[in-house]
Amino acid sequence: MNQNDFIIELEKIGICATKDKLDKLEKYYNLIIEYNKLMNLTAITDIDSVYLKHFYDSLTISKIIDLNKYDTLCDLGSGAGFPGIVIKIFYPNLNIVLVDSLNKRVNFLNKVIEELNLEGICAIHDRIENYSTKHKEEFDIVTARAVAPLNVLLELGINLVKKDYYFIAMKGNITSEPDYTNALNILKCKQTGFITFKLPIENSNRCLIKIQKKFSTPKIFPREYNIIKSKPL
């Protein structure tokens, strides 16, 4: 996906790619390439693939929720900043927190934030399970892209979501996803959106799952909420 294809495909999902936003993406791409020589940020490095599989893919979240209507977002396991950094560039109205367990990646993310002069966004070095216990019900939207199975993500991240707001999982091929019905029932959440689609050009499968939190998180979870014994992320 070259830049012109990127602009056209974004228009199809109602997103305008201004020159300022495109300039920020170009600078972001150059930082990814520079720092990828020092650490493992991504195996995808050629520019056309980055625009398709990272930049465009990150913005497909807009297919299932209008990000212009919300104020706060948390990106769990942000890695090299997908989708959080890309979302911030296109939705400056959002105050965003990026959470990652590897300090080297967090340093990279903060460098990107500084170089792109992004405001209202920060990167935090912490494990998801630790961060979620310290920041209960602080976010309108919590998202994670290709981090872990949804039943794991829900147990770890639902604390962060405000009552009546949303957890959005960004997935690849949903057929390999373990059943998460039990997690929804135990955590008293409701699936309010489910979209499958294919990335343009390469036609790989994608899935967005929108889950609404239907209760206010208690200060201490009863034992029944220990749905799975998850590995730290």
Side-chain angles (χ1 to χ4, degrees):
M1 174 179 278
N2 58 38
Q3 192 178 84
N4 189 56
D5 293 332
F6 178 73
I7 294 169
I8 292 170
E9 292 298 330
L10 285 186
E11 287 177 350
K12 292 179 182 178
I13 58 175
I15 298 176
C16 178
T18 64
K19 183 180 184 302
D20 177 65
K21 292 171 182 175
L22 292 172
D23 287 346
K24 282 184 168 65
L25 285 183
E26 182 177 358
K27 185 177 288 188
Y28 183 19
Y29 171 75
N30 290 332
L31 287 167
I32 291 169
I33 298 305
E34 177 184 349
Y35 279 79
N36 208 51
K37 298 173 183 177
L38 306 175
M39 67 184 80
N40 181 26
L41 288 172
T42 176
I44 300 169
T45 56
D46 70 278
I47 190 166
D48 287 356
S49 294
V50 170
Y51 267 80
L52 174 63
K53 296 181 180 181
H54 287 327
F55 294 167
Y56 175 80
D57 192 31
S58 292
L59 292 169
T60 59
I61 190 174
S62 65
K63 288 175 174 283
I64 205 164
I65 194 165
D66 184 354
L67 296 177
N68 292 298
K69 296 181 178 180
Y70 298 89
D71 298 320
T72 56
L73 181 145
C74 182
D75 177 16
L76 299 179
S78 191
F82 313 122
I85 291 284
V86 186
I87 288 174
K88 181 62 187 181
I89 291 171
F90 281 81
Y91 295 91
N93 56 293
L94 287 169
N95 289 296
I96 296 179
V97 175
L98 315 173
V99 181
D100 198 89
S101 61
L102 187 62
N103 196 45
K104 289 193 295 184
R105 285 197 294 258
V106 170
N107 290 338
F108 166 74
L109 293 171
N110 282 319
K111 180 67 174 178
V112 172
I113 290 167
E114 178 185 353
E115 291 292 324
L116 272 55
N117 295 314
L118 300 176
E119 297 180 352
I121 182 171
C122 65
I124 302 296
H125 175 224
D126 206 348
R127 293 190 181 279
I128 295 172
E129 61 268 36
N130 294 333
Y131 187 80
S132 66
T133 61
K134 295 178 287 187
H135 298 272
K136 293 182 179 180
E137 300 190 351
E138 290 189 6
F139 297 94
D140 300 339
I141 300 168
V142 175
T143 190
R145 176 178 177 263
V147 173
L150 185 52
N151 58 341
V152 178
L153 288 174
L154 277 175
E155 185 180 10
L156 296 176
I158 202 66
N159 272 8
L160 296 165
V161 182
K162 297 175 183 176
K163 182 179 180 292
D164 296 324
Y165 286 80
Y166 302 100
F167 187 102
I168 298 176
M170 305 181 72
K171 294 288 184 178
N173 192 344
I174 193 63
T175 59
S176 60
E177 184 76 18
D179 181 67
Y180 53 88
T181 305
N182 189 50
L184 290 175
N185 292 335
I186 292 175
L187 295 169
K188 297 180 174 62
C189 299
K190 180 181 180 181
Q191 182 172 294
T192 58
F194 185 94
I195 297 175
T196 59
F197 61 97
K198 293 183 182 295
L199 280 187
I201 301 174
E202 70 168 27
N203 291 320
S204 56
N205 294 317
R206 293 293 186 271
C207 180
L208 300 171
I209 306 167
K210 182 180 180 183
I211 294 169
Q212 188 176 30
K213 181 173 181 175
K214 302 299 290 183
F215 76 111
S216 185
T217 307
K219 291 183 178 180
I220 300 175
F221 266 22
R223 291 186 63 185
E224 66 173 316
Y225 286 94
N226 295 323
I227 301 167
I228 43 83
K229 293 182 179 178
S230 58
K231 294 180 180 179
L233 300 179

